[in-house]
Amino acid sequence: MKIATFNINGINGRLPVLLRWLREEEPDVVCLQELKAPQNRFPLKAIQEAGYQAIWHGQKSWNGVAILSKLGEITEVTRVLPGNVEDNHSRYLEAIIDDTLISCLYLPNGNPYPGPKFDYKMAWIKRFKRRAAQLIKMDIPAILIGDFNIIPTELDVYKPQKWENNALYRMEARKEFKSLLKQGWMDSVRRLFPDQAVYTFWDYLWNAYGRNAGLRLDHILLSPKIAPRLIEGGIDRHVRGWEKSSDHAPVWIRLKPT
């Protein structure tokens, strides 16, 4: 199974980019973030014509997550991250595909720091950690995948000293990411590239992509039940260079069959 995550940054405006990438790379399962489209504006027909089933949770103008699959039925588990009934942001979608639980997330950015947006981010992470711990206890094949909006380490950011007071790199957020891994989750990309500065995001400003001044924000974490199946993975960096592409690049891994 080849599973990927892609912050599409506006699914309707960047639909040609998404369809081209799906056609060229042929992932089996795709988790999308930042759809920026209400529920009834999801381009289901185009996705189906590309060979994928889909479930999605839209939201007008921002947020939004989706899971695509060409492996068969997608069984939705929940589209609400437990722990706050008043939180109506479309940031979480959980489903079962081929006996694997897929947790697709778009974690809050949190900027500016300090402030209420950062407080919301930290509260969201704590809720997410509780759900992640439940999945570990269930001892099932599970994947936490998406745009975490967290730069885990110095290796994951160009010129880290410039990011110390950015919510993406604040020590509080990095500490929570590290505690996620301590639950038993494997950071698959870092496992595959232990010493390399690999990035998944390049700003549109200051020729960041051309200078490779990037960040690693998009992660695929594997539960102990599925981690031994990891074969390979990578970042489709070239997609970031396509015309009218997202500021994120797709990230993918391949798992050997059971």
Side-chain angles (χ1 to χ4, degrees):
M1 176 170 68
K2 181 178 182 180
I3 181 167
T5 180
F6 192 4
N7 180 320
I8 194 63
N9 192 12
I11 191 168
N12 287 302
R14 304 191 201 280
L15 185 59
V17 171
L18 175 62
L19 296 176
R20 175 184 172 186
W21 172 70
L22 291 175
R23 182 173 63 252
E24 292 184 4
E25 302 300 332
E26 299 183 326
D28 297 304
V29 176
V30 180
C31 292
L32 301 174
Q33 305 85 40
E34 215 171 347
L35 304 179
K36 293 183 177 178
Q39 190 72 9
N40 62 356
R41 289 290 312 282
F42 185 83
L44 180 60
K45 182 179 179 181
I47 297 296
Q48 290 176 330
E49 289 176 348
Y52 291 84
Q53 299 183 44
I55 61 172
W56 67 97
H57 186 195
Q59 186 170 352
K60 185 178 180 180
S61 300
W62 66 85
N63 300 330
V65 285
I67 300 176
L68 318 183
S69 173
K70 59 179 182 179
L71 294 180
E73 183 178 357
I74 306 173
T75 303
E76 183 175 324
V77 177
T78 183
R79 56 184 53 208
V80 177
L81 181 64
N84 183 354
V85 295
E86 297 180 354
D87 187 352
N88 59 3
H89 286 198
S90 55
R91 296 184 175 274
Y92 190 78
L93 189 56
E94 196 175 287
I96 296 173
I97 301 173
D98 196 26
D99 296 325
T100 298
L101 188 138
I102 309 292
S103 173
C104 173
L105 64 136
Y106 177 44
L107 201 144
N109 178 288
N111 281 305
Y113 167 86
K117 290 186 177 180
F118 186 74
D119 296 340
Y120 169 64
K121 174 176 187 161
M122 297 307 297
W124 203 98
I125 294 173
K126 292 183 186 302
R127 289 162 54 202
F128 179 61
K129 280 176 55 185
R130 288 195 292 270
R131 178 55 180 162
Q134 291 174 345
L135 296 178
I136 290 289
K137 289 181 181 179
M138 292 167 66
D139 193 30
I140 59 173
I143 302 174
L144 312 180
I145 178 170
D147 180 358
F148 283 63
N149 268 318
I150 297 174
I151 304 167
T153 70
E154 288 186 1
L155 190 59
D156 301 307
V157 54
Y158 177 80
K159 293 188 176 180
Q161 66 275 14
K162 293 187 175 183
W163 292 82
E164 290 180 355
N165 286 319
N166 189 292
L168 304 176
Y169 191 59
R170 278 297 304 173
M171 64 180 73
E172 297 93 333
R174 288 188 284 144
K175 182 179 179 181
E176 295 292 1
F177 188 89
K178 188 175 182 179
S179 69
L180 256 181
L181 301 185
K182 287 183 177 178
Q183 290 181 354
W185 298 95
M186 175 205 287
D187 181 348
S188 59
V189 171
R190 185 50 66 209
R191 176 62 62 91
L192 292 167
F193 304 96
D195 303 312
Q196 288 182 241
V198 291
Y199 303 137
T200 68
F201 169 92
W202 297 262
D203 201 295
Y204 291 123
L205 303 175
W206 308 297
N207 190 32
Y209 177 67
R211 295 185 298 114
N212 197 29
L215 316 171
R216 189 169 75 99
L217 301 175
D218 306 87
H219 308 300
I220 305 176
L221 307 187
L222 306 180
S223 73
K225 199 74 173 182
I226 201 171
R229 292 170 53 192
L230 178 66
I231 302 173
E232 60 176 343
I235 297 159
D236 290 337
R237 185 185 186 280
H238 63 284
V239 176
R240 173 62 178 82
W242 290 353
E243 185 178 358
K244 296 182 179 179
S245 190
S246 172
D247 42 10
H248 294 251
V251 182
W252 61 273
I253 61 168
R254 195 182 306 275
L255 303 170
K256 62 185 176 183
T258 54

